[in-house]
Amino acid sequence: MRTYRIKGYARSCGDLSTSEVEKPPQVGPPARIHPAAPARQGSIGAMDRIQAAYGARASEYASVLGRVDQMHPCDVALISSWGAGVCGPILDAGCGPGHWTDLLHQANRDVTGIDVVPEFIASARREFPGVRYELMDMAQMPFPDGSFGGVMAWYSMIHLDREAATNLVESFYQLLGDGGSVLLGFFVGAHLESFPHAITDANYWDVDKTCDLLCAGGFRIDEVHTRRSQSHRTHGAIVATKPC
């Protein structure tokens, strides 16, 4: 039987429902991105729609969610501690405006941020000079196998369907060296159920099924974190390791 560690406690794989319920610290009205108008259906592909949607609102997104001091302190602590434990280079896959990449860089980690949105990469290079950012689609990463000690996908898989997510997990496994670690962040809910994200439609991820996806891809689950609040969707994060 697989065993997962949740917030420092060992639980069987059938007992992953425990969540930390908390009220985020109040530092003024919560910053929000106003929802976009519903996307019109057409011949444009899913990734092209996502790229265009984020590109059109990259400046607004970066102003609201582009600095570490705008993030939840628990997320800052988790990413910082995870990064400190990674041996080798780190890939921030889907880095957005680049603030998490910079956080790891400031901790003297060898980190590369990649994103498919040109406006995000331009903003990241401008706001965080000296940090390595590359314009790149996660589905077509040219790095050799075993290039990284850690891969982080922080809310960058929420727009993927089942097949794309499975393929990406397989890519992460190949990119990591033995003993390498992956960190995922996502919205918790009914697995792959769509909801109207502020930028473009996104999917919830079920914790159990996401753990199963990682295990099927060869990973060992190390940590599962969830957080609920009165004003935000439930947050989830999973740390997993590629066994030696």
Side-chain angles (χ1 to χ4, degrees), residues 45-59:
M47 185 52 65
D48 290 330
R49 287 201 307 272
I50 294 167
Q51 179 179 341
Y54 276 96
R57 306 184 69 185
S59 178

Side-chain angles (χ1 to χ4, degrees), residues 81-136:
S81 63
W82 171 80
V86 169
C87 296
I90 295 174
L91 178 67
D92 183 0
C95 66
H99 51 298
W100 293 123
T101 319
D102 180 65
L103 176 71
L104 295 167
H105 174 78
Q106 294 299 325
N108 296 316
R109 304 320 314 267
D110 179 5
V111 59
T112 300
I114 66 169
D115 204 280
V116 74
V117 179
E119 293 84 353
F120 275 155
I121 294 300
S123 173
R125 288 171 174 169
R126 182 173 59 252
E127 295 297 322
F128 308 111
V131 184
R132 189 184 308 115
Y133 296 101
E134 300 292 343
L135 181 63
M136 191 179 300

